[in-house]
Amino acid sequence: MQLPFNFFGQSWSHYRPQIILLTLGCLVAQGFAVTVQDAPLETTVTGNQYRLTLHRESLDLGLELLGRDGVWHVAFKPSAANGALVQRGEPRIMNGRRATWTLTATPDQIVVGQQAMLDSTDAELLDVHYLCRDHGVLIGTRVTGTNASTILWTPPRVALADTNFDGYLFWDGAGQPHHGSFAKLTPTPAYAGVSAWDQTGDVARKLSVTRPALMACASGWGVNLGVVFQDYSTRWSGSHTFIQRHTPQTVYFYTGYVPVTRAQQTLWAWLAPFSNGEPAPTAAQVEALVREGDAAIRAFKPISVPPSAALSQPLSELSSALRRSFPVPDLNDAVVYTVNEFTDSEATLNLARAVGTDLLIRGWFKWNKRPPVERWREFPQKAHGAGAWFGGGITCSALYDGENGITQPQLLDMATRGPDGQLLNAWDQPGIRHGSLSSPAYLDYLFRWCREQMDAGADYLFMDEHTAVLGPREGYDDYSIRDFRRFLRTECAATREFTPADVRWQTQYQVALSDPKICPGGTVETFEYRAYLAAHGWVKQPTDSRNPLSSLWHSFRTWRDDIAWKTLTGRIRAYAREKGRPVFISANGLARYVDLQVLGVWGQWQVEQGRMNLAANMLPEIRSLVQRGQELAGHRVPVVLFHDWGFGEPPFPYLGVPPSQRELWLRTRAPEIYAAGARFAFPLLGPFGCDARGDGTLPVMVRQTTFYQTHRQLFQQGRYRCSEPLRTSTPNLSLAAWTLDAPRAVVLHVINRNTRDGQLQPQRALSVDVPLDRAPASAYAVSPDWAGERPVQCAIAGKNLRVTLADLDAYALVWLMFPEAMDLDRLKDSARIRLMTHWERPERNEFRVRPDGSVENASALNGILQGKLHAHMRNPPTFLVDAAKPETLSVHVRAVSTAGGRLEYRVDDRIERAVDLPDLDHKNDTSAAEYDKVIVLPIPAGKHRVTLDNTGADWLVLS
């Protein structure tokens, strides 16, 4: 749809996305190039050479530039553009902050207005307007209620990730042009423009008054990204704008760096494309833009509207009836967990108080530079007074060049190596290494930061990447090679009976004992694995299928990682005992030797066009995580899921959707986690701008956590019974049944996943059939979505109890009260095993199936079934069953290699079924949902050996 701007004499405030789709569409002014295009959750404005994308719920923006090749190029994505308030050197990022939205269209421009509450305690309010015109975007920023010593980043600081940005251009106070390449800004960090910090590079004291601009030039695109200031000599006097070449690979464009007091009245600056990198013609463009900005500002009328009253309310603590004065002694009694990176002030601790957390995860965390925890000793004690344990944590993998004063020799001693013996960049990020878990110095280094945080009061340590997450070409340092020799000689089942000079090293594993480069001492006691790889031509591909030691190397890594982890956790606990205090330990992911399991919810995160996809019932998968986590720990421990982050785009998937979709997730997926017997760690604070107060999700979290604390008796003493036997005709419901002994009750978790256009659709008069043979004495429902109890109708329908709820918004607990003991035998799920995938030969190939269908030693099952290509890694599982009646084995096929696989099912060595599984997606990705297919296989009554095998060309994955 195309309509002239003057058709509209109004603005749109807080419109619903489906309305804007019908009414706005695409607007084009007559004789004017700016257009607007609307998507479900964002609006894109296109000018002559730019395309600006704005999120309608939050302060996020992305920009593309039109190159001379006629192609749109990404100048920056929303996650790379950071507005911020900086106090004492610490930036408070504005990305993800919930904001209001208003749009107006006039004959010469499109105007978007937003307001966001930055801190309700101090009434900090941000008001921003985008005047989108043909030649660029004029951004007006106003901030009220902020401390006068604060620095404001406006327009946002931009990370220039694209290597096409290779130069700069600006005019100094004398009007002289400065232009050059980033490569010449050395040594790093170095600067171009008016630097607020060091004066290394090509810097000036101020910009030209007539040409107040700084540009990042992309020579490959033939276009520059420039910031141009209005009223530079007065409003921007004393401010800074600069490009920082932080490292040889990392460049930041600080478009505006100004005392916040200057923004008490609206402060204006352009972000605009400039097509010519030469100073003379570009200068004329800058001067013309300044004149255009003067006229636009004189005619400007603000259109933004204030945030809702809920975002403006000060924080309140949990009600006194639910508040505790000391932490729970047993973590299994902890009901509410939160992620709190960083908790270093009274304001951040107040967030934890508001939701009544039992344990703060990552209140402190050491990644790269150590946090100054000795200055924050008061906060663990204050957390205890609020009834919560306080958590710290470290990375067990990342090792930055020069971090925390380590010398180059120390780095070389602690960092792992590639198959050629050279240092490698961790995650392909220059300047970051992975540490070697075989290095005694590195294990000491990790323990040092744990000890420091415990000394400062941390009760719990979150140990990120406890296996060092090495890639396939990492881990070949001298210490690891030494431990590999020990493993082959004393621990490996396939080789530990060999003598050091055994001929089988040569005949079975191609180890040339007589080659002085491979075995300098003539026996495997001096075996040099890197030299072995080089001799066979496997340095670039050490996992080559022709390498007979490849699978043993993977088994060694599993063995070594376990020893290192056990050693580290043992040292931590011994130190805590020495200090006479408790300490809890978790990894990031399921692990042994822990007091709680903490892992990310990547697999439970599905988004389509910016909206949550809740079609899948995740409850059974989460339940299997609980069972596996407790089996690995060897006893009952809490299993806690959280929104993890890392590299990629976006680096924090939780922030990749608008705040309303985060709230939808919190109201539906989090209850699924609780219904499965796990816990969810609510994301109060995290990196990349994660802030529950700022994005407006805190009220929803408070409502949820208050509900869990109100009914904590159920979550502390209740027992999960089943999900599968519960039946309903209402689609997209997640159901689980729990039991409680005192009072005697069956409690149903009922979760609504019905959505339309990103909005939850309430359900009316829904029924659930429960396999119970009598009606309860009383029944009622409670929910975080309403106050008090609501009646529930119950009636016997055939062999089941039919429970009918009049209303369901997102989540409800239905309490069925019974005065006498009940027959609960039919409240039982099938036994499920969630398989982990390991690129190694399974150590075990026989598994006894218990009478209830569970499997002994299930954690030793490998989801990757190897085919003919990697024959040395084959060890297919056989299940030893004794079935009183015919049963079934169901397997979920996830992915296959590009060569395909063939699933073969044998009963007592007789083939009962074979399923060919050709490649479908051409990805060769073990994590892909390529098949997403369940195959049901019959088990006859009696004692049998039931085998799953892959007789195809290459691997297949069962989940």
Side-chain angles (χ1 to χ4, degrees):
M1 178 177 67
Q2 294 188 353
L3 294 169
F5 279 125
N6 56 17
F7 179 86
F8 298 100
Q10 60 187 27
S11 68
W12 296 270
S13 301
H14 308 293
Y15 56 73
R16 296 177 65 184
Q18 60 267 34
I19 296 175
I20 193 67
L21 281 170
L22 296 173
T23 61
L24 184 57
C26 179
L27 307 178
V28 182
Q30 296 173 344
F32 187 61
V34 179
T35 63
V36 175
Q37 292 178 319
D38 186 70
L41 297 166
E42 61 189 26
T43 292
T44 299
V45 182
T46 304
N48 186 29
Q49 269 191 292
Y50 75 89
R51 195 155 62 188
L52 180 75
T53 299
L54 296 163
H55 287 244
R56 289 198 296 271
E57 292 185 14
S58 58
L59 298 174
D60 292 301
L61 70 157
L63 186 71
E64 297 168 274
L65 301 177
L66 185 63
R68 62 187 168 197
D69 55 2
V71 175
W72 287 103
H73 300 279
V74 176
F76 57 81
K77 296 180 179 180
S79 60
N82 303 127
L85 293 172
V86 185
Q87 294 174 317
R88 298 183 299 275
E90 294 295 327
R92 284 190 290 141
I93 302 299
M94 297 177 187
N95 296 57
R97 296 269 172 174
R98 179 161 291 187
T100 61
W101 171 271
T102 308
L103 182 147
T104 64
T106 67
D108 59 348
Q109 65 186 1
I110 294 165
V111 180
V112 173
Q114 293 187 284
Q115 287 192 27
M117 183 61 66
L118 302 179
D119 189 330
S120 61
T121 304
D122 298 325
E124 281 185 353
L125 184 71
L126 172 74
D127 181 289
V128 60
H129 284 81
Y130 302 92
L131 279 58
C132 304
R133 303 171 74 90
D134 188 23
H135 300 296
V137 182
L138 184 57
I139 303 175
T141 307
R142 181 172 61 90
V143 180
T144 58
T146 302
N147 187 293
S149 63
T150 302
I151 293 295
L152 172 66
W153 293 353
T154 188
R157 184 198 72 171
V158 176
L160 298 174
D162 196 295
T163 55
N164 277 283
F165 283 110
D166 53 8
Y168 63 89
L169 168 63
F170 68 94
W171 293 262
D172 64 22
Q176 294 300 309
H178 295 240
H179 57 105
S181 69
F182 292 162
K184 293 183 179 180
L185 296 177
T186 57
T188 58
Y191 304 82
V194 184
S195 171
W197 304 320
D198 296 337
Q199 301 301 302
T200 305
D202 190 357
V203 296
R205 294 184 59 188
K206 61 182 180 180
L207 298 179
S208 164
V209 172
T210 58
R211 298 163 186 168
L214 173 63
M215 297 175 194
C217 306
S219 59
W221 300 344
V223 63
N224 302 344
L225 170 62
V227 58
V228 179
F229 302 96
Q230 296 294 142
D231 298 322
Y232 179 74
S233 62
T234 55
R235 300 299 311 286
W236 292 91
S237 176
S239 67
H240 301 85
T241 179
F242 53 97
I243 291 170
Q244 180 197 42
R245 192 181 185 213
H246 182 60
T247 69
Q249 294 78 27
T250 307
V251 179
Y252 295 107
F253 188 178
Y254 287 82
T255 55
Y257 187 98
V258 59
V260 76
T261 51
R262 297 295 177 84
Q264 290 175 350
Q265 300 296 320
T266 305
L267 199 59
W268 294 95
W270 291 90
L271 280 183
F274 293 84
S275 58
N276 193 315
E278 296 301 320
T282 308
Q285 295 177 51
V286 171
E287 293 166 4
L289 210 58
V290 171
R291 291 192 297 271
E292 184 176 340
D294 289 339
I297 294 168
R298 285 194 298 270
F300 169 72
K301 294 182 180 179
I303 64 170
S304 59
V305 296
S308 68
L311 295 180
S312 304
Q313 297 298 316
L315 286 175
S316 59
E317 292 188 12
L318 200 69
S319 71
S320 58
L322 299 177
R323 196 182 310 135
R324 296 175 311 282
S325 57
F326 50 85
V328 293
D330 183 348
L331 274 190
N332 285 297
D333 289 335
V335 175
V336 174
Y337 292 76
T338 54
V339 177
N340 302 74
E341 187 178 338
F342 277 93
T343 300
D344 56 0
S345 67
E346 197 68 29
T348 52
L349 185 61
N350 282 340
L351 289 174
R353 292 190 179 112
V355 298
T357 183
D358 294 312
L359 186 147
L360 287 76
I361 294 176
R362 289 174 65 138
W364 303 332
F365 191 74
K366 183 266 173 194
W367 181 281
N368 192 358
K369 293 183 172 64
R370 57 174 286 272
V373 296
E374 67 277 0
R375 301 205 306 259
W376 301 338
R377 292 173 177 268
E378 63 188 288
F379 298 112
Q381 289 301 317
K382 289 182 175 180
H384 295 168
W389 295 110
F390 191 94
I394 67 167
T395 169
C396 299
S397 67
L399 188 62
Y400 286 71
D401 293 356
E403 71 169 50
N404 305 302
I406 62 173
T407 64
Q408 184 69 5
Q410 288 175 315
L411 175 74
L412 296 177
D413 191 45
M414 293 189 290
T416 191
R417 305 301 180 94
D420 58 358
Q422 301 302 308
L423 291 175
L424 291 172
N425 295 328
W427 306 290
D428 295 323
Q429 301 288 314
I432 312 178
R433 318 296 175 185
H434 275 138
S436 168
L437 294 181
S438 285
S439 165
Y442 187 59
L443 293 178
D444 288 344
Y445 187 70
L446 297 179
F447 175 70
R448 169 188 172 182
W449 306 118
C450 299
R451 182 183 62 214
E452 179 182 89
Q453 292 185 34
M454 285 191 287
D455 287 345
D459 313 294
Y460 154 59
L461 293 171
F462 175 102
M463 310 292 282
D464 196 20
E465 298 179 336
H466 70 292
T467 63
V469 295
L470 304 183
R473 301 195 70 253
E474 293 179 291
Y476 297 88
D477 54 275
D478 289 343
Y479 291 112
S480 295
I481 298 301
R482 175 203 63 190
D483 285 349
F484 185 42
R485 288 195 291 266
R486 173 189 166 196
F487 172 78
L488 292 174
R489 286 284 295 113
T490 64
E491 303 296 334
C492 178
T495 61
R496 63 191 173 202
E497 302 301 325
F498 292 10
T499 64
D502 201 302
V503 69
R504 287 174 291 181
W505 294 113
Q506 174 72 57
T507 58
Q508 293 186 26
Y509 294 104
Q510 303 178 34
V511 176
L513 299 178
S514 60
D515 188 329
K517 292 182 179 179
I518 296 175
C519 295
T523 74
V524 80
E525 299 279 10
T526 57
F527 177 46
E528 294 291 344
Y529 188 45
R530 291 200 303 262
Y532 170 88
L533 294 173
H536 291 282
W538 295 327
V539 169
K540 292 185 177 180
Q541 186 61 41
T543 59
D544 191 295
S545 61
R546 295 169 297 176
N547 178 3
L549 287 178
S550 175
S551 64
L552 301 189
W553 175 260
H554 283 281
S555 298
F556 151 69
R557 284 270 299 275
T558 301
W559 169 81
R560 188 279 312 277
D561 293 351
D562 183 75
I563 287 179
W565 176 235
K566 186 176 183 180
T567 300
L568 185 57
T569 56
R571 290 180 70 179
I572 292 169
R573 291 192 173 95
Y575 186 75
R577 287 193 299 270
E578 179 185 321
K579 295 296 181 179
R581 48 168 307 190
V583 64
F584 306 110
I585 299 172
S586 83
N588 184 358
L590 301 181
R592 301 168 68 187
Y593 321 123
V594 297
D595 303 284
L596 66 161
Q597 301 283 14
V598 181
L599 63 157
V601 293
W602 301 101
Q604 292 76 37
W605 189 256
Q606 298 176 14
V607 178
E608 293 179 358
Q609 296 183 332
R611 290 172 172 157
M612 294 307 309
N613 180 349
L614 302 178
N617 178 4
M618 303 306 302
L619 202 154
E621 181 174 348
I622 298 167
R623 181 61 193 170
S624 69
L625 287 175
V626 173
Q627 294 170 320
R628 181 173 175 83
Q630 295 185 346
E631 179 184 343
L632 269 177
H635 57 103
R636 179 174 173 248
V637 297
V639 176
V640 184
L641 282 77
F642 79 113
H643 287 303
D644 203 351
W645 51 87
F647 300 106
E649 182 60 40
F652 200 164
Y654 181 70
L655 297 185
V657 297
S660 64
Q661 297 300 292
R662 298 172 209 169
E663 291 177 344
L664 175 62
W665 197 99
L666 293 170
R667 297 177 64 205
T668 55
R669 290 302 193 201
E672 278 188 315
I673 291 170
Y674 275 86
R679 300 287 189 264
F680 174 63
F682 290 84
L684 291 181
L685 291 172
F688 309 108
C690 177
D691 184 335
R693 186 62 183 168
D695 71 8
T697 59
L698 186 61
V700 171
M701 292 187 191
V702 170
R703 191 164 70 240
Q704 298 285 110
T705 57
T706 299
F707 180 79
Y708 295 129
Q709 290 288 18
T710 300
H711 300 282
R712 61 188 174 205
Q713 179 187 12
L714 172 66
F715 296 103
Q716 291 173 339
Q717 301 174 19
R719 296 184 300 280
Y720 174 93
R721 298 289 301 200
C722 69
S723 174
E724 294 173 10
L726 306 178
R727 296 286 184 265
T728 180
S729 60
T730 303
N732 296 321
L733 292 187
S734 297
L735 303 169
W738 286 41
T739 56
L740 193 65
D741 293 334
R744 186 176 288 112
V746 174
V747 184
L748 305 180
H749 297 254
V750 185
I751 303 155
N752 178 22
R753 295 182 284 103
N754 286 279
T755 60
R756 184 171 64 244
D757 296 328
Q759 301 292 318
L760 200 61
Q761 302 301 300
Q763 302 299 300
R764 302 287 181 259
L766 63 91
S767 296
V768 178
D769 285 351
V770 186
L772 294 174
D773 60 4
R774 75 177 71 169
S778 63
Y780 62 91
V782 292
S783 170
D785 302 318
W786 66 66
E789 300 174 358
R790 293 187 177 179
V792 171
Q793 299 299 316
C794 296
I796 297 297
K799 295 182 179 181
N800 296 320
L801 174 67
R802 179 159 295 168
V803 178
T804 302
L805 288 77
D807 301 282
L808 177 66
D809 194 353
Y811 169 48
L813 289 175
V814 178
W815 288 75
L816 308 175
M817 313 302 294
F818 295 92
E820 299 175 353
M822 290 286 297
D823 179 4
L824 304 176
D825 285 348
R826 290 195 292 154
L827 289 179
K828 182 172 63 176
D829 281 333
S830 301
R832 287 176 178 263
I833 304 167
R834 186 176 187 268
L835 301 175
M836 300 291 104
T837 55
H838 306 286
W839 194 257
E840 60 188 34
R841 185 179 187 275
E843 292 288 336
R844 179 185 294 271
N845 64 6
E846 287 193 351
F847 301 86
R848 189 179 77 85
V849 181
R850 303 184 183 101
D852 64 354
S854 61
V855 177
E856 286 186 356
N857 302 303
S859 60
L861 285 163
N862 190 345
I864 300 180
L865 289 184
Q866 294 289 350
K868 296 177 180 177
L869 183 60
H870 301 284
H872 60 289
M873 297 174 69
R874 285 175 45 77
N875 198 15
T878 293
F879 300 94
L880 310 179
V881 301
D882 186 357
K885 59 183 178 60
E887 299 286 357
T888 60
L889 167 63
S890 299
V891 295
H892 181 262
V893 180
R894 189 169 72 205
V896 298
S897 71
T898 51
R902 177 182 173 86
L903 183 65
E904 189 171 281
Y905 174 61
R906 299 193 293 269
V907 177
D908 300 326
D909 295 326
R910 183 180 65 255
I911 298 175
E912 293 293 336
R913 188 174 177 189
V915 181
D916 288 317
L917 299 165
D919 177 41
L920 298 179
D921 63 2
H922 311 296
K923 290 183 178 180
N924 213 50
D925 181 2
T926 58
S927 63
E930 181 178 0
Y931 267 89
D932 194 20
K933 177 180 181 180
V934 174
I935 298 174
V936 180
L937 306 166
I939 300 175
K943 292 185 177 182
H944 300 284
R945 294 173 56 84
V946 175
T947 302
L948 284 175
D949 198 0
N950 173 17
T951 57
D954 202 355
W955 54 261
L956 64 84
V957 176
L958 305 177
S959 63

